[in-house]
Amino acid sequence: MSIVKFSTLLNEAMKSTAETTAKRTHLEHPEDLTFDGHDSVGQAEQHLRELHNHLLGKKSKVSVSTKIDGAPAVHVGMDKDGQYFVATKGLFNKNPKVYRTEQEVDDAYGADHPVSHILKQTLRHAPSTMPRDMKPGEVYKGDVLSVAGGDRSPQKEKGYITTQPNVLKYKYPVDSQEGRALARSQLGVVWHTKYDRNGNADSISPKDRAKFVPNDNVFTMNPDVKANPSNYSPEEQSAFENHMENARREYAKVQPDAYDRLAGHNGTLRTYINQTVRSGEAPSFEGYTSHLAGRQQKDVDSVKTQAAKDRKVQQHADFIQQAHNNRKDLDNLLKLHGHLQAAKNVLVGVADKNSPSTNELPGGQPFGHEGYVTTDKQGGAVK
């Protein structure tokens, strides 16, 4: 019997390719896209396959960057007069809060406030590292990793230079390029997002990242994942292909109108999957319907009148009945989700081996990175 390629099945089922190129304001896990429709399954398959190619050192249609556990988020922009400013999330207020001088920072936060120190260090050092062709109206967003002169200063620990901006501790060998740069820096930051003059946000491309200006006072972490094919073992490649083949077989069972018949379930399937991640249980149809029953009681309790409660009860009864009427479809989608998640986990493990840092949780427990983001040439991104 001939094997039909996963991509062939997807091309036959996709009703439109336009949605696959649309930018998502909220980053999704690729496996969660399987709950949205045939086109979204196609996007998930493409990103996983292209990440696989990237890790093999092959030509890939996605860029790959590391999610860094930095804090807080800072913005460096250029106003219409060509002057640099810094900001936190207040940049997006109705009346944007931006700071062009250290005095403006002190006036807003107080001279001794931790955020004041971070913003002043950013204002002192970050502008000199901005891309040479930065234009008025453009803004770069990043997460702070370290700040000299306080409890956020880089530390030397047992042959490593370390920084712990949030939960994860990042460790670089003392004699590595990264370790030396972090140790001498006044500010450590990872830039990840660029806003153009119209306010449109996009991930920073490798081409744009190359325009940042080196400066010894700033440790600028490059989150782009560089491929080292020797880190992708034959056993891991085989495991990835097996999971993708299992996903292909499961997807072949999904009927063309399955998503129409399950309209409305993509959101509750996501919350159910999040619940299983916390509890450690394996996703199943029985678990999903139990999850829906639990949500029903919360919704009923949220309204006061008996008429409103009765409406909530009937709505949930209809929704749960819809699930039972389409049990086979839900079984297929949950299995498809599981196979794609397993394939992604293989790739995440390989990507972790390409990192120049080793990471720890509180207590010294080794840990991989927070995750990775793949971005295609149309701006579609998943994590």
Side-chain angles (χ1 to χ4, degrees), residues 213-274:
V213 180
N215 186 314
D216 283 351
N217 287 322
V218 182
F219 171 67
T220 305
M221 179 189 283
N222 185 347
D224 296 339
V225 176
K226 296 181 180 179
N228 182 350
S230 64
N231 285 333
Y232 200 170
S233 71
E235 293 77 15
E236 288 167 324
Q237 295 175 46
S238 177
F240 171 79
E241 294 294 356
N242 286 338
H243 291 311
M244 293 300 285
E245 173 59 17
N246 288 334
R248 183 201 67 81
R249 292 179 185 276
E250 207 60 51
Y251 181 71
K253 303 174 187 176
V254 179
Q255 298 298 313
D257 63 346
Y259 290 101
D260 293 332
R261 288 185 277 106
L262 284 169
H265 282 266
N266 56 340
T268 49
L269 281 166
R270 278 176 168 78
T271 58
Y272 169 59
I273 289 296
N274 290 337

Side-chain angles (χ1 to χ4, degrees), residues 235-379:
E235 293 77 15
E236 288 167 324
Q237 295 175 46
S238 177
F240 171 79
E241 294 294 356
N242 286 338
H243 291 311
M244 293 300 285
E245 173 59 17
N246 288 334
R248 183 201 67 81
R249 292 179 185 276
E250 207 60 51
Y251 181 71
K253 303 174 187 176
V254 179
Q255 298 298 313
D257 63 346
Y259 290 101
D260 293 332
R261 288 185 277 106
L262 284 169
H265 282 266
N266 56 340
T268 49
L269 281 166
R270 278 176 168 78
T271 58
Y272 169 59
I273 289 296
N274 290 337
Q275 174 186 298
T276 64
V277 170
R278 293 190 295 270
S279 67
E281 68 177 288
S284 66
F285 175 80
E286 291 78 11
Y288 177 57
T289 52
S290 176
H291 171 73
L292 293 181
R295 287 173 60 90
Q296 171 181 305
Q297 191 57 52
K298 290 181 181 179
D299 278 357
V300 171
D301 292 342
S302 70
V303 295
K304 295 182 178 180
T305 68
Q306 188 58 47
K309 290 180 182 294
D310 290 344
R311 283 195 298 272
K312 290 286 187 182
V313 169
Q314 188 58 53
Q315 288 168 0
H316 275 278
D318 292 343
F319 198 63
I320 293 173
Q321 187 60 51
Q322 181 188 18
H324 281 280
N325 292 345
N326 296 282
R327 174 171 182 162
K328 186 175 180 180
D329 294 320
L330 283 167
D331 278 332
N332 292 340
L333 292 180
L334 288 171
K335 290 176 182 176
L336 172 60
H337 181 280
H339 292 312
L340 292 179
Q341 184 178 45
K344 183 191 76 172
N345 289 343
V346 172
L347 300 178
V348 167
V350 175
D352 280 343
K353 291 190 286 185
N354 291 336
S355 172
S357 69
T358 56
N359 312 328
E360 291 180 356
L361 291 171
Q365 179 184 352
F367 193 78
H369 277 290
E370 186 182 2
Y372 299 90
V373 176
T374 59
T375 306
D376 61 32
K377 297 185 185 303
Q378 291 76 38

Side-chain angles (χ1 to χ4, degrees), residues 49-264:
R49 179 61 61 183
E50 294 300 332
L51 175 55
H52 165 76
N53 290 339
H54 176 85
L55 295 172
L56 284 173
K58 296 181 178 180
K59 188 175 181 179
S60 174
K61 297 178 181 178
V62 299
S63 59
V64 187
S65 61
T66 310
K67 284 176 61 63
I68 301 298
D69 189 33
V74 293
H75 303 80
V76 174
M78 182 182 287
D79 66 19
K80 62 181 181 179
D81 297 321
Q83 183 177 1
Y84 288 103
F85 63 82
V86 298
T88 59
K89 60 184 179 181
L91 175 65
F92 302 104
N93 290 354
K94 185 176 181 180
N95 296 312
K97 294 183 178 180
V98 302
Y99 311 104
R100 296 174 177 83
T101 67
E102 293 187 26
Q103 186 60 54
E104 289 180 352
V105 174
D106 285 343
D107 290 344
Y109 289 92
D112 298 326
H113 195 284
V115 173
S116 178
H117 179 58
I118 291 170
L119 288 177
K120 286 188 289 187
Q121 288 288 77
T122 303
L123 190 58
R124 287 172 194 166
H125 302 295
S128 64
T129 71
M130 290 293 102
R132 296 179 178 87
D133 60 353
M134 187 172 181
K135 299 177 180 62
E138 293 181 343
V139 176
Y140 285 88
K141 178 182 179 181
D143 293 318
V144 173
L145 302 171
S146 61
V147 186
D151 57 7
R152 295 288 297 277
S153 296
Q155 303 295 315
K156 187 175 182 180
E157 299 179 12
K158 299 178 181 179
Y160 291 92
I161 302 298
T162 71
T163 181
Q164 187 170 354
N166 202 4
V167 176
L168 284 182
K169 178 185 289 186
Y170 296 94
K171 302 170 57 177
Y172 297 94
V174 169
D175 59 354
S176 67
Q177 179 180 346
E178 292 84 3
R180 291 191 296 269
L182 178 59
R184 65 175 177 254
S185 67
Q186 296 297 307
L187 173 72
V189 65
V190 53
W191 302 109
H192 51 73
T193 305
K194 176 183 179 180
Y195 295 87
D196 66 18
R197 286 174 289 181
N198 296 317
N200 299 312
D202 208 348
S203 300
I204 298 174
S205 68
K207 181 179 179 180
D208 281 341
R209 191 173 299 284
K211 298 177 182 178
F212 279 77
V213 180
N215 186 314
D216 283 351
N217 287 322
V218 182
F219 171 67
T220 305
M221 179 189 283
N222 185 347
D224 296 339
V225 176
K226 296 181 180 179
N228 182 350
S230 64
N231 285 333
Y232 200 170
S233 71
E235 293 77 15
E236 288 167 324
Q237 295 175 46
S238 177
F240 171 79
E241 294 294 356
N242 286 338
H243 291 311
M244 293 300 285
E245 173 59 17
N246 288 334
R248 183 201 67 81
R249 292 179 185 276
E250 207 60 51
Y251 181 71
K253 303 174 187 176
V254 179
Q255 298 298 313
D257 63 346
Y259 290 101
D260 293 332
R261 288 185 277 106
L262 284 169

